[in-house]
Amino acid sequence: MKISMLLPARNRPYNLKASIESVFAFADKPENIEVLVRLDDCDPSLSRELEYLKRPRTKTGVGTRLGYSRMHEYYNGCAT
């Protein structure tokens, strides 16, 4: 069984790193987890986030900022 963590993120590189590290650190079977991250192309921290996300079992998408009112689109995009 595989678990997918859908994670829209913006301008919080340290929180993003801490969230992902804790998922893998506390998982009973970390090899069964994948992290799908959606970032905004105008994110001031984009380069730091992308550098960190070059890791196994992590996939990253970058796109136009949608805002909080369209958060469901971030999650649907990760799921797709």
Side-chain angles (χ1 to χ4, degrees):
M1 181 173 175
K2 185 174 257 193
I3 296 172
S4 298
M5 179 179 168
L6 309 179
L7 187 59
R10 178 179 173 78
N11 201 24
R12 291 187 176 92
Y14 301 108
N15 293 349
L16 176 63
K17 182 178 179 182
S19 295
I20 293 172
E21 287 177 353
S22 69
V23 166
F24 288 113
F26 292 107
D28 185 45
K29 296 181 181 178
E31 66 276 5
N32 289 338
I33 296 174
E34 67 176 352
V35 178
L36 308 171
V37 180
R38 168 45 160 84
L39 301 169
D40 294 337
D41 57 4
C42 63
D43 186 339
S45 301
L46 184 62
S47 61
R48 284 185 288 164
E49 292 162 339
L50 288 172
E51 187 61 35
Y52 172 71
L53 292 169
K54 293 179 184 176
R55 54 181 298 133
R57 297 184 309 277
T58 302
K59 297 177 185 173
T60 307
V62 178
T64 304
R65 183 176 185 188
L66 303 175
Y68 288 111
S69 66
R70 296 170 62 188
M71 186 62 69
H72 61 285
E73 294 181 47
Y74 288 111
Y75 283 104
N76 289 341
C78 285
T80 299

